Amino acid sequence: MSKALFLDRDGTLIIDKDYLSDPAGVVLLPGVVDGLRRACELGYRLFLFTNQSGIGRGYYTLADAQRVNARMEEMIGLRTPLFDGICIAPEAPDQP
């Protein structure tokens, strides 16, 4: 039987910054590397889910969000790829 962790990006793995589109702005939260390393050692498959309404609002592109994710994985420094799957929700809320 496989074990899995489903993780949010902003506020869980990295500091939540409104509409982060620049990989240089990625800051890991304390304990993330150790926690993910332990999860990998225990055989967990890792999945990343992230709401990126800035894409739907036109603030940045899907490619920008992917570059932020890539920088985060690079900074974590564990296996590559780290996540078995990544889901980016680009939808923006309806405007009144």
Side-chain angles (χ1 to χ4, degrees):
M1 177 185 295
S2 294
K3 300 179 283 187
L5 287 178
F6 298 87
L7 301 158
D8 186 27
R9 188 187 81 181
D10 301 317
T12 302
L13 300 176
I14 65 173
I15 291 178
D16 189 0
K17 298 181 180 179
D18 290 336
Y19 308 114
L20 179 60
S21 63
D22 182 355
V26 174
V27 178
L28 297 177
L29 285 167
V32 164
V33 174
D34 291 337
L36 292 176
R37 179 181 297 115
R38 183 72 177 134
C40 291
E41 289 170 354
L42 292 171
Y44 282 86
R45 296 178 65 198
L46 304 178
F47 295 88
L48 180 69
F49 289 80
T50 181
N51 294 317
Q52 295 300 313
S53 69
I55 297 168
R57 296 171 196 257
Y59 298 162
Y60 54 90
T61 66
L62 177 60
D64 292 328
Q66 291 168 330
R67 282 190 288 276
V68 168
N69 290 346
R71 176 64 181 141
M72 177 187 68
E73 284 193 61
E74 178 184 307
M75 292 172 70
I76 291 170
L78 299 174
R79 68 179 190 221
T80 303
L82 178 59
F83 299 101
D84 290 291
I86 296 175
C87 180
I88 297 173
E91 299 82 12
D94 293 331
Q95 300 298 318

